[in-house]
Amino acid sequence: MPLVSLHNVTKRYPNGTEAIRGLSFEVGKGEFVFLSGPSGAGKTTLIRLLLRMEQASEGDVLVFGRNLRALRRSAVPYLRRNIGVVFQDFRLLPDRTVFENVGLGLHVLGLSRREVRDRVEGVLYDLSIDRYANAFPPMLSGGEQQRVAIARAIVMQPALVLADEPTGNLDWELSNDIVRLFENLNSRGTTVMMATHDRFLLEAYPRRTLLLNKGFMIEDRVGYAVPKGG
């Protein structure tokens, strides 16, 4: 059974704009998939659909075998506990330390203090940011804050990680570092879906790429192809 499955999905907003149009694809367990295309292609809308932050106007979105159209609102938090999310703007709490930012979700799950400490310390070490455990996000560089955001996403040990333009504000060297972190995570069995419009990254990492343009699927291939007219 695929981990993610979309069947003829369209997302139409009240003003008539169609951000996603007739989209169908599947992502299997353990895959690493890029979502690519220019601004306005529908990448962020797709991620929001997978998180049930938006609902499809037509078609079906299935995650972990569950149809999100039929998912009760009370079940949405449980769905999201199994999905790690990394946003371009980090969304870190500025008045909480790095340790507190990363461990917050674990406390919500009811883990003991020792379990939280062990997990957080482990993931901070893995991402080479353990020395910033007691620092506050505004004290860190963009690349360091992005690593904290990734740590917060993966400390929950999710089956699926969604990353929305996680390298958008970073230089080439840091962007490479971030993609390698996701590749390392993927090598351990986590499914990764990463949105990016950076064609240089896509050329450097020839993974499966779902190419979107104006809400349509233009191509599903290994490697990267420039969309016609783009």
Side-chain angles (χ1 to χ4, degrees), residues 45-95:
T45 298
L46 174 54
I47 287 176
R48 290 177 64 84
L49 287 171
L50 295 176
L51 287 168
R52 181 62 192 281
M53 295 172 72
E54 305 275 1
Q55 291 199 60
S57 305
E58 299 171 13
D60 295 307
V61 179
L62 286 81
V63 180
F64 307 130
R66 304 192 68 179
N67 193 324
L68 302 193
R69 181 187 293 275
L71 195 66
R72 294 180 180 178
R73 181 171 296 182
S74 60
V76 172
Y78 179 78
L79 169 80
R80 293 176 182 167
R81 287 175 192 170
N82 292 285
I83 302 175
V85 189
V86 182
F87 297 100
Q88 181 178 353
D89 57 358
F90 314 139
R91 302 194 184 182
L92 301 174
L93 300 174
D95 58 344

Side-chain angles (χ1 to χ4, degrees), residues 200-214:
F200 298 108
L201 271 183
L202 297 169
E203 291 169 354
Y205 297 91
R207 296 282 192 155
R208 179 185 176 194
T209 301
L210 305 180
L211 189 61
L212 306 178
N213 198 1
K214 297 181 180 178

Side-chain angles (χ1 to χ4, degrees), residues 10-13 15-22 40-41 45 57-58 214-216:
T10 292
K11 173 58 184 179
R12 186 180 302 108
Y13 289 101
N15 64 3
T17 299
E18 290 187 340
I20 295 290
R21 309 183 190 191
T45 298
S57 305
E58 299 171 13
K214 297 181 180 178
F216 289 106

Side-chain angles (χ1 to χ4, degrees), residues 124-136:
L124 294 182
Y125 177 81
D126 287 345
L127 296 180
S128 301
I129 50 174
D130 47 308
R131 63 187 180 278
Y132 302 124
N134 295 317
F136 293 90

